[in-house]
Amino acid sequence: MGRILNVRWITAALAILVLAAVCIALGRWQLHRLDERKARNTVTRTNLAAAPAPLDQILGPRGVVGDQHAWRTATVTGKYDASKQIVLKYRNVNDKPGFEIVTPLMLPNGKAVLVDRGFLARQSSELMPQHVPSVPGGEVTVTGRLQRSERGGHTSGGTPEDGTARLINGPDYAKVLGLNLYDGYLTIDKQEPANDAAFGAFPGPEIDDGPHFFYALQWFFFALLAVGGLVYFTRQGGRDDKSEDDEVVERSEARAGAAD
């Protein structure tokens, strides 16, 4: 019986130690995410402070918006192609549901860039916006913030279907629209001629450390709790075993005394 209990105790102790190790690993992972977020915040602050520059000067020949370009202000001049406009569904700005309107801007070099023209709050339970502001005719100059193409894992939300999509993804849009698109997009800050007043503005980036540090503390606390519990119950078990041994000795002495 004692051997069975001993095996069970060893199994439980190993399980607790594995649990503590997992908690420590998760805590370290949260600290790693905190470091990544701080690095991203540094890039974002630098890009927000940078002066506007032409799109090709920022992106170079590859034409890909990377993490290092996020929130950088770019300027570009071209003509909108309203026939290839996409309505983004299930979007939220400042906790308000609605739609965003993405229109390709055709450039003199034969390429095009996706421009998120703005947010339209959903009215009641409408599935599509009742009115989409028309694009300005002729040449326009857009000054906006660069953003990476959005990706939704294994979903197809970045592939337009019937003029709608859930994500903005340059390569996926290019396949459907038949355009040579930059990999990324622009959100409008300023436009000449001016953007329609019906569009709502986009909020700026969240520049903070997030909850990662406190999550890490929680995981480390759980690990400490697990190890502390193991030590406590080990010592408690040792005391119980000692008490049982004392009882056995007392019974043996009592029997010996009775026999005398």
Side-chain angles (χ1 to χ4, degrees):
M1 186 69 176
R3 178 178 294 180
I4 294 176
L5 291 175
N6 193 41
V7 170
R8 288 179 179 175
W9 181 89
I10 292 175
T11 303
L14 289 175
I16 291 173
L17 290 175
V18 169
L19 176 63
V22 170
C23 290
I24 291 173
L26 288 171
R28 294 180 63 185
W29 173 64
Q30 286 293 341
L31 291 178
H32 177 67
R33 293 191 64 191
L34 175 61
D35 290 339
E36 289 180 337
R37 183 153 183 159
K38 287 182 176 180
R40 186 167 63 248
N41 288 343
T42 299
V43 172
T44 300
R45 290 189 184 96
T46 301
N47 288 344
L48 288 173
L55 180 65
D56 284 335
Q57 179 179 319
I58 296 173
L59 299 184
R62 289 187 62 222
V64 177
V65 180
D67 290 334
Q68 71 275 23
H69 304 122
W71 299 98
R72 182 77 160 81
T73 303
T75 59
V76 64
T77 300
K79 295 181 179 180
Y80 282 119
D81 186 348
S83 68
K84 299 181 185 298
Q85 186 164 264
I86 302 296
V87 176
L88 291 181
K89 303 174 71 174
Y90 312 111
R91 307 291 277 194
N92 284 275
V93 172
N94 296 327
D95 295 326
K96 293 181 179 179
F99 312 91
E100 292 174 26
I101 309 302
V102 177
T103 310
L105 187 67
M106 311 304 295
L107 309 182
N109 63 4
K111 300 185 70 173
V113 62
L114 296 173
V115 177
D116 193 340
R117 295 168 55 212
F119 177 78
L120 299 174
R122 190 177 69 183
Q123 306 300 319
S124 185
S125 58
E126 62 180 357
L127 300 178
M128 289 288 286
Q130 297 177 2
H131 171 69
V132 176
S134 58
V135 298
E139 192 172 79
V140 298
T141 297
V142 174
T143 301
R145 302 288 186 178
L146 285 169
Q147 304 291 348
R148 287 192 60 183
S149 288
E150 299 173 346
R151 293 171 174 82
H154 297 292
T155 69
S156 58
T159 303
E161 184 176 352
D162 297 327
T164 67
R166 299 185 65 175
L167 305 173
I168 312 175
N169 185 288
D172 287 346
Y173 278 40
K175 297 173 187 176
V176 175
L177 302 180
L179 298 174
N180 183 11
L181 288 169
Y182 287 86
D183 187 351
Y185 66 100
L186 276 172
T187 57
I188 287 183
D189 273 353
K190 183 175 66 175
Q191 179 180 280
E192 297 177 4
N195 200 22
D196 196 291
F199 285 118
F202 294 108
E206 294 182 0
I207 307 178
D208 56 45
D209 291 342
H212 304 299
F213 177 74
F214 297 101
Y215 286 165
L217 287 183
Q218 287 179 353
W219 285 118
F220 292 144
F221 174 75
F222 292 151
L224 183 63
L225 196 64
V227 174
L230 176 61
V231 172
Y232 172 80
F233 287 114
T234 299
R235 296 182 65 181
Q236 192 67 28
R239 290 174 182 174
D240 292 342
D241 291 341
K242 186 176 181 180
S243 297
E244 291 178 2
D245 292 341
D246 291 342
E247 289 181 6
V248 171
V249 171
E250 289 175 0
R251 289 175 184 173
S252 297
E253 291 178 347
R255 289 172 184 172
D260 291 342

